[in-house]
CSV table of all heavy atoms in Angstrom, one decimal:
chain,number,residue,atom,x,y,z
A,244,HIS,N,104.1,67.2,112.1
A,244,HIS,CA,103.6,66.1,112.9
A,244,HIS,C,104.5,66.3,114.2
A,244,HIS,O,105.8,65.9,114.2
A,244,HIS,CB,103.6,64.7,112.4
A,244,HIS,CG,102.6,64.6,111.3
A,244,HIS,ND1,101.3,64.0,111.5
A,244,HIS,CD2,102.7,65.0,110.0
A,244,HIS,CE1,100.7,64.2,110.2
A,244,HIS,NE2,101.5,64.7,109.4
A,245,ILE,N,103.9,66.7,115.3
A,245,ILE,CA,104.7,67.0,116.5
A,245,ILE,C,104.5,65.9,117.6
A,245,ILE,O,103.3,65.6,117.9
A,245,ILE,CB,104.2,68.4,116.9
A,245,ILE,CG1,104.6,69.4,115.9
A,245,ILE,CG2,104.9,68.8,118.3
A,245,ILE,CD1,104.0,70.7,115.9
A,246,ASP,N,105.5,65.6,118.2
A,246,ASP,CA,105.5,64.5,119.3
A,246,ASP,C,105.1,65.3,120.5
A,246,ASP,O,106.0,65.9,121.1
A,246,ASP,CB,106.8,63.9,119.4
A,246,ASP,CG,106.8,62.8,120.5
A,246,ASP,OD1,105.8,62.7,121.2
A,246,ASP,OD2,107.8,62.0,120.6
A,247,THR,N,104.0,65.2,121.0
A,247,THR,CA,103.6,66.0,122.2
A,247,THR,C,104.2,65.6,123.4
A,247,THR,O,104.2,66.4,124.4
A,247,THR,CB,102.0,65.9,122.3
A,247,THR,OG1,101.7,64.4,122.5
A,247,THR,CG2,101.2,66.6,121.2
A,248,LYS,N,104.8,64.4,123.5
A,248,LYS,CA,105.5,64.0,124.7
A,248,LYS,C,106.8,64.7,124.9
A,248,LYS,O,107.2,65.1,125.9
A,248,LYS,CB,105.8,62.4,124.7
A,248,LYS,CG,104.4,61.6,124.8
A,248,LYS,CD,104.8,60.1,125.0
A,248,LYS,CE,103.5,59.4,125.1
A,248,LYS,NZ,103.1,59.2,123.7
A,249,THR,N,107.4,65.0,123.7
A,249,THR,CA,108.8,65.6,123.8
A,249,THR,C,108.7,67.1,123.6
A,249,THR,O,109.6,68.0,123.8
A,249,THR,CB,109.8,65.0,122.9
A,249,THR,OG1,109.3,65.2,121.6
A,249,THR,CG2,110.0,63.6,123.3
A,250,PHE,N,107.6,67.6,123.1
A,250,PHE,CA,107.4,69.0,122.7
A,250,PHE,C,107.6,70.0,123.8
A,250,PHE,O,107.1,69.8,125.0
A,250,PHE,CB,105.9,69.2,122.1
A,250,PHE,CG,105.6,70.7,121.9
A,250,PHE,CD1,106.0,71.3,120.9
A,250,PHE,CD2,104.8,71.4,122.9
A,250,PHE,CE1,105.6,72.6,120.6
A,250,PHE,CE2,104.7,72.7,122.6
A,250,PHE,CZ,104.9,73.3,121.5
A,251,LYS,N,108.3,70.9,123.5
A,251,LYS,CA,108.6,72.0,124.5
A,251,LYS,C,108.3,73.4,123.7
A,251,LYS,O,108.9,73.6,122.7
A,251,LYS,CB,109.9,72.2,125.1
A,251,LYS,CG,110.4,70.8,125.9
A,251,LYS,CD,110.0,71.1,127.3
A,251,LYS,CE,110.5,69.8,128.2
A,251,LYS,NZ,110.0,69.8,129.5
Side-chain angles (χ1 to χ4, degrees):
Chain A
H244 293 263
I245 295 161
D246 181 351
T247 54
K248 291 197 186 73
T249 59
F250 171 84
K251 296 272 182 188

